[in-house]
Amino acid sequence: MTHGTHNALDDPRNESIKIFVNGELLPRSEAKISVFDSGYLVGDGVWEACRLHKGVLVFLDLHLNRLWTAAKTVGMDLPFSKEELTNEIWKTLNANGMEDGVHVRFMLTRGIKKTPSQDPRLTVSGPNLVIIPEFKKASPETKNKGVTLFTSTIRRGSPDYLDPRLNCHSKLHEVQALIQALEAGADEALMLDVNGFVSTCNATNFFMVTNGEVWTSTGQYCMNGITRHNVIRICNDYGIPCHQKNFSLFDLYGADEAFVTGTFGGLTPVPEVDGRKIGNGSLGEITKDLQQKYEALIEEEVRKAKLS
């Protein structure tokens, strides 16, 4: 069985979901895109994913802001507003009778190409929009047991050629890092930056705890994570020392706790890195406290959304 931060409980309802493809709602088995799509041909696309919790798309504004920034970064003109995209997402969710425990991913590619090519001038359509909602709840076992990491030789890129903050379809280097980790017997990959400091993981952001302080990377070479942002926000709100700084594997191997963050799994403990036990190799007290505070923040977002 696959074990990682995207471990989800099986839900048979996902076999009959309807998927949004450019204005149409199609059964899962019929939801298809052209082989001339820019995302398929050259990874030319951007995407987001968020959670539907108790009838509220949690932190949607942050996700939409990140999507619009990504589209501008890659020079993709979006033919709709944030409000219009939100309406399409809700149209898809409502068509599936979804209210809670849902992970929804929305993807935009530059469009259909006239011929296989990188050249954006050969795009003969507007952007392709696909919305995939699934009934997905994170595995409680993973949330408590955590994931083991292996430090990959694949580095997080420099912002001057592919900014790591860009949530784009070009994920091959992260896939390569994950494959290395799997071959080493770990669940997921830890990735260093171009200077050899701890940066991020292949699909999540990384934190460690030492002497009561929470450390994470500077943010220069890691994914622009919404959950990462919220954990830092929680630490600031509750007076928990939190530092965005350079640190190495030397610091990490001696840490008291470690965890990773992501939209789907929230906060997931890391009991082991490179075969070395972190702390006592179980869910740490500060990580557990931050898990609870993060869940409380989600509930507060739901409360405020329903009052507005």
Side-chain angles (χ1 to χ4, degrees):
M1 177 182 175
T2 301
H3 182 74
T5 51
H6 285 80
N7 246 27
L9 300 175
D10 288 333
D11 196 316
R13 293 176 293 178
N14 288 325
E15 296 304 315
S16 57
I17 59 171
K18 295 180 177 67
I19 293 173
F20 179 103
V21 181
N22 291 330
E24 290 187 83
L25 287 167
L26 302 170
R28 186 185 188 112
S29 61
E30 298 176 22
K32 297 176 173 64
I33 202 84
S34 170
V35 294
F36 287 94
D37 173 70
S38 299
Y40 176 74
L41 289 175
V42 291
D44 186 1
V46 293
W47 62 276
E48 281 295 324
C50 62
R51 300 287 297 167
L52 177 66
H53 184 71
K54 296 181 180 178
V56 175
L57 287 166
V58 183
F59 310 122
L60 179 62
D61 56 338
L62 296 176
H63 285 282
L64 291 176
N65 287 342
R66 187 170 67 175
L67 181 67
W68 252 253
T69 298
K72 288 181 179 179
T73 299
V74 301
M76 188 186 299
D77 293 325
L78 303 184
F80 43 73
S81 66
K82 293 177 183 177
E83 182 180 6
E84 288 170 329
L85 175 57
T86 300
N87 289 339
E88 298 291 17
I89 294 170
W90 275 113
K91 173 183 174 181
T92 307
L93 294 170
N94 291 335
N96 286 285
M98 293 172 161
E99 297 180 355
D100 190 34
V102 172
H103 188 73
V104 55
R105 179 165 173 149
F106 36 108
M107 299 170 285
L108 283 158
T109 67
R110 196 174 302 276
I112 303 299
K113 287 284 177 62
K114 180 180 179 180
T115 185
S117 170
Q118 295 179 349
D119 195 332
R121 293 169 298 182
L122 294 173
T123 307
V124 294
S125 76
N128 285 319
L129 171 63
V130 174
I131 303 171
I132 304 176
E134 291 183 302
F135 295 100
K136 288 178 74 172
K137 290 187 178 180
S139 165
E141 179 186 3
T142 303
K143 198 173 188 65
N144 292 314
K145 177 184 175 183
V147 293
T148 60
L149 302 179
F150 171 80
T151 304
S152 171
T153 60
I154 307 294
R155 300 295 180 95
R156 292 299 292 186
S158 173
D160 60 352
Y161 55 88
L162 183 61
D163 197 309
R165 294 173 297 174
L166 181 63
N167 219 21
C168 65
H169 284 202
S170 303
K171 295 288 185 183
L172 187 56
H173 64 300
E174 289 151 313
V175 174
Q176 288 178 290
L178 178 56
I179 288 172
Q180 278 193 337
L182 296 176
E183 290 175 342
D187 297 318
E188 296 191 1
L190 182 67
M191 301 179 73
L192 308 181
D193 66 23
V194 295
N195 300 304
F197 295 113
V198 173
S199 176
T200 186
C201 298
N202 59 277
T204 53
N205 286 111
F206 184 82
F207 289 79
M208 59 171 266
V209 179
T210 183
N211 297 320
E213 297 180 347
V214 177
W215 291 10
T216 190
S217 71
T218 62
Q220 294 174 306
Y221 299 95
C222 78
M223 292 173 287
N224 186 23
I226 305 299
T227 311
R228 176 183 187 271
H229 162 85
N230 282 323
V231 168
I232 295 171
R233 169 186 168 189
I234 288 168
C235 287
N236 291 335
D237 287 348
Y238 285 89
I240 300 169
C242 182
H243 305 289
Q244 298 179 65
K245 59 182 290 183
N246 287 325
F247 61 93
S248 70
L249 291 173
F250 173 87
D251 302 296
L252 170 56
Y253 293 154
D256 301 317
E257 305 174 30
F259 61 91
V260 294
T261 61
T263 295
F264 177 65
L267 279 71
T268 304
V270 174
E272 181 184 299
V273 178
D274 298 335
R276 294 168 174 81
K277 185 185 292 184
I278 302 300
N280 61 11
S282 61
L283 176 63
E285 288 302 314
I286 291 179
T287 302
K288 183 178 180 180
D289 180 50
L290 288 172
Q291 280 181 339
Q292 293 169 347
K293 286 179 167 57
Y294 176 68
E295 290 166 4
L297 178 62
I298 290 175
E299 295 299 334
E300 177 63 15
E301 288 293 308
V302 170
R303 187 190 68 82
K304 288 192 297 186
K306 291 185 174 180
L307 286 176
S308 62

